PDB file of all heavy atoms in Angstrom:
ATOM      1  N   ARG A   1      18.097   5.541  -0.302  1.00  0.00           N
ATOM      2  CA  ARG A   1      17.628   4.283  -0.875  1.00  0.00           C
ATOM      3  C   ARG A   1      18.805   3.381  -1.185  1.00  0.00           C
ATOM      4  O   ARG A   1      19.929   3.841  -1.401  1.00  0.00           O
ATOM      5  CB  ARG A   1      16.770   4.522  -2.120  1.00  0.00           C
ATOM      6  CG  ARG A   1      17.514   5.081  -3.314  1.00  0.00           C
ATOM      7  CD  ARG A   1      16.524   5.552  -4.386  1.00  0.00           C
ATOM      8  NE  ARG A   1      15.741   4.455  -4.945  1.00  0.00           N
ATOM      9  CZ  ARG A   1      14.577   4.610  -5.577  1.00  0.00           C
ATOM     10  NH1 ARG A   1      14.044   5.828  -5.718  1.00  0.00           N
ATOM     11  NH2 ARG A   1      13.943   3.548  -6.064  1.00  0.00           N
ATOM     12  N   GLU A   2      18.520   2.095  -1.227  1.00  0.00           N
ATOM     13  CA  GLU A   2      19.503   1.075  -1.521  1.00  0.00           C
ATOM     14  C   GLU A   2      18.875   0.194  -2.601  1.00  0.00           C
ATOM     15  O   GLU A   2      18.169  -0.763  -2.308  1.00  0.00           O
ATOM     16  CB  GLU A   2      19.836   0.283  -0.264  1.00  0.00           C
ATOM     17  CG  GLU A   2      21.080  -0.550  -0.348  1.00  0.00           C
ATOM     18  CD  GLU A   2      21.492  -1.095   1.010  1.00  0.00           C
ATOM     19  OE1 GLU A   2      20.772  -0.874   2.001  1.00  0.00           O
ATOM     20  OE2 GLU A   2      22.541  -1.747   1.080  1.00  0.00           O
ATOM     21  N   ASN A   3      19.143   0.528  -3.852  1.00  0.00           N
ATOM     22  CA  ASN A   3      18.426  -0.092  -4.958  1.00  0.00           C
ATOM     23  C   ASN A   3      18.712  -1.583  -5.109  1.00  0.00           C
ATOM     24  O   ASN A   3      17.852  -2.337  -5.555  1.00  0.00           O
ATOM     25  CB  ASN A   3      18.741   0.637  -6.258  1.00  0.00           C
ATOM     26  CG  ASN A   3      18.031   1.970  -6.350  1.00  0.00           C
ATOM     27  OD1 ASN A   3      17.042   2.209  -5.660  1.00  0.00           O
ATOM     28  ND2 ASN A   3      18.528   2.851  -7.208  1.00  0.00           N
ATOM     29  N   ALA A   4      19.909  -2.016  -4.746  1.00  0.00           N
ATOM     30  CA  ALA A   4      20.240  -3.433  -4.845  1.00  0.00           C
ATOM     31  C   ALA A   4      19.377  -4.284  -3.929  1.00  0.00           C
ATOM     32  O   ALA A   4      19.228  -5.484  -4.157  1.00  0.00           O
ATOM     33  CB  ALA A   4      21.713  -3.658  -4.539  1.00  0.00           C
ATOM     34  N   LYS A   5      18.796  -3.663  -2.893  1.00  0.00           N
ATOM     35  CA  LYS A   5      17.943  -4.371  -1.942  1.00  0.00           C
ATOM     36  C   LYS A   5      16.484  -3.945  -2.023  1.00  0.00           C
ATOM     37  O   LYS A   5      15.668  -4.387  -1.215  1.00  0.00           O
ATOM     38  CB  LYS A   5      18.454  -4.166  -0.518  1.00  0.00           C
ATOM     39  CG  LYS A   5      19.836  -4.733  -0.263  1.00  0.00           C
ATOM     40  CD  LYS A   5      20.252  -4.519   1.178  1.00  0.00           C
ATOM     41  CE  LYS A   5      21.612  -5.127   1.454  1.00  0.00           C
ATOM     42  NZ  LYS A   5      22.021  -4.934   2.863  1.00  0.00           N
ATOM     43  N   ASN A   6      16.138  -3.090  -2.964  1.00  0.00           N
ATOM     44  CA  ASN A   6      14.775  -2.552  -3.090  1.00  0.00           C
ATOM     45  C   ASN A   6      14.298  -1.932  -1.777  1.00  0.00           C
ATOM     46  O   ASN A   6      13.175  -2.169  -1.326  1.00  0.00           O
ATOM     47  CB  ASN A   6      13.797  -3.642  -3.537  1.00  0.00           C
ATOM     48  CG  ASN A   6      13.830  -3.897  -5.032  1.00  0.00           C
ATOM     49  OD1 ASN A   6      14.840  -3.666  -5.695  1.00  0.00           O
ATOM     50  ND2 ASN A   6      12.719  -4.386  -5.571  1.00  0.00           N
ATOM     51  N   MET A   7      15.151  -1.113  -1.166  1.00  0.00           N
ATOM     52  CA  MET A   7      14.847  -0.515   0.123  1.00  0.00           C
ATOM     53  C   MET A   7      14.947   1.001   0.051  1.00  0.00           C
ATOM     54  O   MET A   7      15.792   1.555  -0.658  1.00  0.00           O
ATOM     55  CB  MET A   7      15.801  -1.014   1.205  1.00  0.00           C
ATOM     56  CG  MET A   7      15.697  -2.495   1.500  1.00  0.00           C
ATOM     57  SD  MET A   7      14.150  -2.923   2.358  1.00  0.00           S
ATOM     58  CE  MET A   7      14.404  -2.104   3.934  1.00  0.00           C
ATOM     59  N   VAL A   8      14.088   1.668   0.805  1.00  0.00           N
ATOM     60  CA  VAL A   8      14.168   3.105   1.008  1.00  0.00           C
ATOM     61  C   VAL A   8      14.037   3.372   2.507  1.00  0.00           C
ATOM     62  O   VAL A   8      13.326   2.641   3.208  1.00  0.00           O
ATOM     63  CB  VAL A   8      13.094   3.852   0.184  1.00  0.00           C
ATOM     64  CG1 VAL A   8      11.693   3.438   0.605  1.00  0.00           C
ATOM     65  CG2 VAL A   8      13.276   5.353   0.297  1.00  0.00           C
ATOM     66  N   TYR A   9      14.718   4.418   2.986  1.00  0.00           N
ATOM     67  CA  TYR A   9      14.776   4.694   4.412  1.00  0.00           C
ATOM     68  C   TYR A   9      14.450   6.153   4.682  1.00  0.00           C
ATOM     69  O   TYR A   9      14.622   7.023   3.833  1.00  0.00           O
ATOM     70  CB  TYR A   9      16.169   4.397   4.972  1.00  0.00           C
ATOM     71  CG  TYR A   9      16.685   3.026   4.651  1.00  0.00           C
ATOM     72  CD1 TYR A   9      17.548   2.824   3.578  1.00  0.00           C
ATOM     73  CD2 TYR A   9      16.315   1.926   5.413  1.00  0.00           C
ATOM     74  CE1 TYR A   9      18.030   1.566   3.277  1.00  0.00           C
ATOM     75  CE2 TYR A   9      16.785   0.663   5.115  1.00  0.00           C
ATOM     76  CZ  TYR A   9      17.645   0.481   4.052  1.00  0.00           C
ATOM     77  OH  TYR A   9      18.120  -0.773   3.759  1.00  0.00           O
ATOM     78  N   LEU A  10      13.989   6.395   5.892  1.00  0.00           N
ATOM     79  CA  LEU A  10      13.820   7.761   6.375  1.00  0.00           C
ATOM     80  C   LEU A  10      14.437   7.840   7.762  1.00  0.00           C
ATOM     81  O   LEU A  10      13.888   7.286   8.718  1.00  0.00           O
ATOM     82  CB  LEU A  10      12.346   8.167   6.427  1.00  0.00           C
ATOM     83  CG  LEU A  10      12.084   9.621   6.827  1.00  0.00           C
ATOM     84  CD1 LEU A  10      12.567  10.568   5.731  1.00  0.00           C
ATOM     85  CD2 LEU A  10      10.601   9.854   7.120  1.00  0.00           C
ATOM     86  N   GLN A  11      15.584   8.502   7.855  1.00  0.00           N
ATOM     87  CA  GLN A  11      16.227   8.740   9.138  1.00  0.00           C
ATOM     88  C   GLN A  11      15.659  10.011   9.733  1.00  0.00           C
ATOM     89  O   GLN A  11      15.746  11.078   9.125  1.00  0.00           O
ATOM     90  CB  GLN A  11      17.741   8.862   8.966  1.00  0.00           C
ATOM     91  CG  GLN A  11      18.494   9.152  10.259  1.00  0.00           C
ATOM     92  CD  GLN A  11      18.432   8.016  11.242  1.00  0.00           C
ATOM     93  OE1 GLN A  11      18.604   6.861  10.867  1.00  0.00           O
ATOM     94  NE2 GLN A  11      18.165   8.328  12.502  1.00  0.00           N
ATOM     95  N   MET A  12      15.080   9.917  10.917  1.00  0.00           N
ATOM     96  CA  MET A  12      14.433  11.037  11.569  1.00  0.00           C
ATOM     97  C   MET A  12      15.176  11.347  12.863  1.00  0.00           C
ATOM     98  O   MET A  12      15.223  10.515  13.771  1.00  0.00           O
ATOM     99  CB  MET A  12      12.962  10.728  11.858  1.00  0.00           C
ATOM    100  CG  MET A  12      12.170  10.302  10.627  1.00  0.00           C
ATOM    101  SD  MET A  12      10.416  10.064  10.988  1.00  0.00           S
ATOM    102  CE  MET A  12      10.512   8.645  12.080  1.00  0.00           C
ATOM    103  N   ASN A  13      15.746  12.541  12.951  1.00  0.00           N
ATOM    104  CA  ASN A  13      16.476  12.980  14.128  1.00  0.00           C
ATOM    105  C   ASN A  13      15.764  14.140  14.798  1.00  0.00           C
ATOM    106  O   ASN A  13      14.973  14.844  14.171  1.00  0.00           O
ATOM    107  CB  ASN A  13      17.900  13.398  13.746  1.00  0.00           C
ATOM    108  CG  ASN A  13      18.720  12.265  13.184  1.00  0.00           C
ATOM    109  OD1 ASN A  13      18.571  11.113  13.586  1.00  0.00           O
ATOM    110  ND2 ASN A  13      19.610  12.592  12.248  1.00  0.00           N
ATOM    111  N   THR A  14      16.077  14.345  16.067  1.00  0.00           N
ATOM    112  CA  THR A  14      15.508  15.445  16.839  1.00  0.00           C
ATOM    113  C   THR A  14      13.993  15.511  16.668  1.00  0.00           C
ATOM    114  O   THR A  14      13.428  16.547  16.316  1.00  0.00           O
ATOM    115  CB  THR A  14      16.164  16.782  16.442  1.00  0.00           C
ATOM    116  OG1 THR A  14      17.574  16.606  16.269  1.00  0.00           O
ATOM    117  CG2 THR A  14      15.951  17.826  17.538  1.00  0.00           C
ATOM    118  N   LEU A  15      13.346  14.402  16.917  1.00  0.00           N
ATOM    119  CA  LEU A  15      11.904  14.318  16.720  1.00  0.00           C
ATOM    120  C   LEU A  15      11.153  15.249  17.663  1.00  0.00           C
ATOM    121  O   LEU A  15      11.563  15.474  18.803  1.00  0.00           O
ATOM    122  CB  LEU A  15      11.433  12.887  16.912  1.00  0.00           C
ATOM    123  CG  LEU A  15      11.743  11.971  15.722  1.00  0.00           C
ATOM    124  CD1 LEU A  15      11.669  10.511  16.138  1.00  0.00           C
ATOM    125  CD2 LEU A  15      10.773  12.250  14.582  1.00  0.00           C
ATOM    126  N   LYS A  16      10.055  15.783  17.160  1.00  0.00           N
ATOM    127  CA  LYS A  16       9.207  16.707  17.890  1.00  0.00           C
ATOM    128  C   LYS A  16       7.802  16.128  17.995  1.00  0.00           C
ATOM    129  O   LYS A  16       7.397  15.328  17.159  1.00  0.00           O
ATOM    130  CB  LYS A  16       9.153  18.056  17.167  1.00  0.00           C
ATOM    131  CG  LYS A  16      10.506  18.693  16.918  1.00  0.00           C
ATOM    132  CD  LYS A  16      10.355  19.964  16.096  1.00  0.00           C
ATOM    133  CE  LYS A  16      11.704  20.584  15.777  1.00  0.00           C
ATOM    134  NZ  LYS A  16      12.385  21.068  17.001  1.00  0.00           N
ATOM    135  N   PRO A  17       7.034  16.542  19.003  1.00  0.00           N
ATOM    136  CA  PRO A  17       5.661  16.040  19.109  1.00  0.00           C
ATOM    137  C   PRO A  17       4.842  16.255  17.843  1.00  0.00           C
ATOM    138  O   PRO A  17       3.993  15.418  17.518  1.00  0.00           O
ATOM    139  CB  PRO A  17       5.091  16.834  20.293  1.00  0.00           C
ATOM    140  CG  PRO A  17       6.280  17.105  21.146  1.00  0.00           C
ATOM    141  CD  PRO A  17       7.405  17.353  20.178  1.00  0.00           C
ATOM    142  N   GLU A  18       5.075  17.335  17.123  1.00  0.00           N
ATOM    143  CA  GLU A  18       4.338  17.595  15.899  1.00  0.00           C
ATOM    144  C   GLU A  18       4.693  16.649  14.757  1.00  0.00           C
ATOM    145  O   GLU A  18       4.042  16.673  13.711  1.00  0.00           O
ATOM    146  CB  GLU A  18       4.511  19.050  15.447  1.00  0.00           C
ATOM    147  CG  GLU A  18       5.957  19.501  15.365  1.00  0.00           C
ATOM    148  CD  GLU A  18       6.403  20.264  16.600  1.00  0.00           C
ATOM    149  OE1 GLU A  18       6.087  19.819  17.727  1.00  0.00           O
ATOM    150  OE2 GLU A  18       7.059  21.309  16.448  1.00  0.00           O
ATOM    151  N   ASP A  19       5.718  15.811  14.937  1.00  0.00           N
ATOM    152  CA  ASP A  19       6.034  14.772  13.962  1.00  0.00           C
ATOM    153  C   ASP A  19       5.154  13.539  14.126  1.00  0.00           C
ATOM    154  O   ASP A  19       5.214  12.626  13.292  1.00  0.00           O
ATOM    155  CB  ASP A  19       7.497  14.347  14.082  1.00  0.00           C
ATOM    156  CG  ASP A  19       8.462  15.458  13.733  1.00  0.00           C
ATOM    157  OD1 ASP A  19       8.212  16.190  12.752  1.00  0.00           O
ATOM    158  OD2 ASP A  19       9.484  15.596  14.449  1.00  0.00           O
ATOM    159  N   THR A  20       4.369  13.484  15.178  1.00  0.00           N
ATOM    160  CA  THR A  20       3.500  12.334  15.428  1.00  0.00           C
ATOM    161  C   THR A  20       2.505  12.159  14.286  1.00  0.00           C
ATOM    162  O   THR A  20       1.767  13.084  13.939  1.00  0.00           O
ATOM    163  CB  THR A  20       2.749  12.512  16.754  1.00  0.00           C
ATOM    164  OG1 THR A  20       3.691  12.514  17.831  1.00  0.00           O
ATOM    165  CG2 THR A  20       1.750  11.385  16.971  1.00  0.00           C
ATOM    166  N   ALA A  21       2.498  10.967  13.696  1.00  0.00           N
ATOM    167  CA  ALA A  21       1.634  10.689  12.552  1.00  0.00           C
ATOM    168  C   ALA A  21       1.830   9.240  12.126  1.00  0.00           C
ATOM    169  O   ALA A  21       2.753   8.566  12.575  1.00  0.00           O
ATOM    170  CB  ALA A  21       1.967  11.614  11.378  1.00  0.00           C
ATOM    171  N   VAL A  22       0.960   8.790  11.236  1.00  0.00           N
ATOM    172  CA  VAL A  22       1.197   7.556  10.504  1.00  0.00           C
ATOM    173  C   VAL A  22       2.035   7.911   9.284  1.00  0.00           C
ATOM    174  O   VAL A  22       1.670   8.805   8.515  1.00  0.00           O
ATOM    175  CB  VAL A  22      -0.113   6.873  10.079  1.00  0.00           C
ATOM    176  CG1 VAL A  22       0.179   5.635   9.238  1.00  0.00           C
ATOM    177  CG2 VAL A  22      -0.936   6.496  11.306  1.00  0.00           C
ATOM    178  N   TYR A  23       3.144   7.227   9.101  1.00  0.00           N
ATOM    179  CA  TYR A  23       4.052   7.495   7.998  1.00  0.00           C
ATOM    180  C   TYR A  23       3.874   6.451   6.906  1.00  0.00           C
ATOM    181  O   TYR A  23       3.884   5.252   7.165  1.00  0.00           O
ATOM    182  CB  TYR A  23       5.501   7.503   8.491  1.00  0.00           C
ATOM    183  CG  TYR A  23       5.858   8.776   9.212  1.00  0.00           C
ATOM    184  CD1 TYR A  23       5.333   9.047  10.465  1.00  0.00           C
ATOM    185  CD2 TYR A  23       6.708   9.713   8.626  1.00  0.00           C
ATOM    186  CE1 TYR A  23       5.636  10.228  11.123  1.00  0.00           C
ATOM    187  CE2 TYR A  23       7.021  10.893   9.277  1.00  0.00           C
ATOM    188  CZ  TYR A  23       6.486  11.147  10.522  1.00  0.00           C
ATOM    189  OH  TYR A  23       6.796  12.320  11.172  1.00  0.00           O
ATOM    190  N   TYR A  24       3.717   6.930   5.673  1.00  0.00           N
ATOM    191  CA  TYR A  24       3.480   6.076   4.520  1.00  0.00           C
ATOM    192  C   TYR A  24       4.623   6.165   3.522  1.00  0.00           C
ATOM    193  O   TYR A  24       5.126   7.255   3.243  1.00  0.00           O
ATOM    194  CB  TYR A  24       2.189   6.484   3.805  1.00  0.00           C
ATOM    195  CG  TYR A  24       0.943   6.334   4.625  1.00  0.00           C
ATOM    196  CD1 TYR A  24       0.475   7.385   5.406  1.00  0.00           C
ATOM    197  CD2 TYR A  24       0.229   5.143   4.620  1.00  0.00           C
ATOM    198  CE1 TYR A  24      -0.674   7.257   6.167  1.00  0.00           C
ATOM    199  CE2 TYR A  24      -0.922   5.008   5.377  1.00  0.00           C
ATOM    200  CZ  TYR A  24      -1.366   6.073   6.146  1.00  0.00           C
ATOM    201  OH  TYR A  24      -2.515   5.933   6.894  1.00  0.00           O
ATOM    202  N   CYS A  25       4.995   5.038   2.981  1.00  0.00           N
ATOM    203  CA  CYS A  25       5.954   4.952   1.896  1.00  0.00           C
ATOM    204  C   CYS A  25       5.188   4.782   0.586  1.00  0.00           C
ATOM    205  O   CYS A  25       4.219   4.026   0.522  1.00  0.00           O
ATOM    206  CB  CYS A  25       6.894   3.767   2.120  1.00  0.00           C
ATOM    207  SG  CYS A  25       8.142   3.508   0.844  1.00  0.00           S
ATOM    208  N   ALA A  26       5.592   5.499  -0.451  1.00  0.00           N
ATOM    209  CA  ALA A  26       4.882   5.464  -1.720  1.00  0.00           C
ATOM    210  C   ALA A  26       5.859   5.489  -2.885  1.00  0.00           C
ATOM    211  O   ALA A  26       6.948   6.045  -2.785  1.00  0.00           O
ATOM    212  CB  ALA A  26       3.919   6.649  -1.827  1.00  0.00           C
ATOM    213  N   GLY A  27       5.431   4.905  -4.001  1.00  0.00           N
ATOM    214  CA  GLY A  27       6.244   4.895  -5.202  1.00  0.00           C
ATOM    215  C   GLY A  27       5.469   5.377  -6.412  1.00  0.00           C
ATOM    216  O   GLY A  27       4.258   5.189  -6.498  1.00  0.00           O
TER     217      GLY A  27
END
């Protein structure tokens, strides 16, 4: 996260077919 910009990130590497989904951000 980068609080000065009100941002959060998810870096996803070596993706697999089972990672297929709708991804939601929540607080």
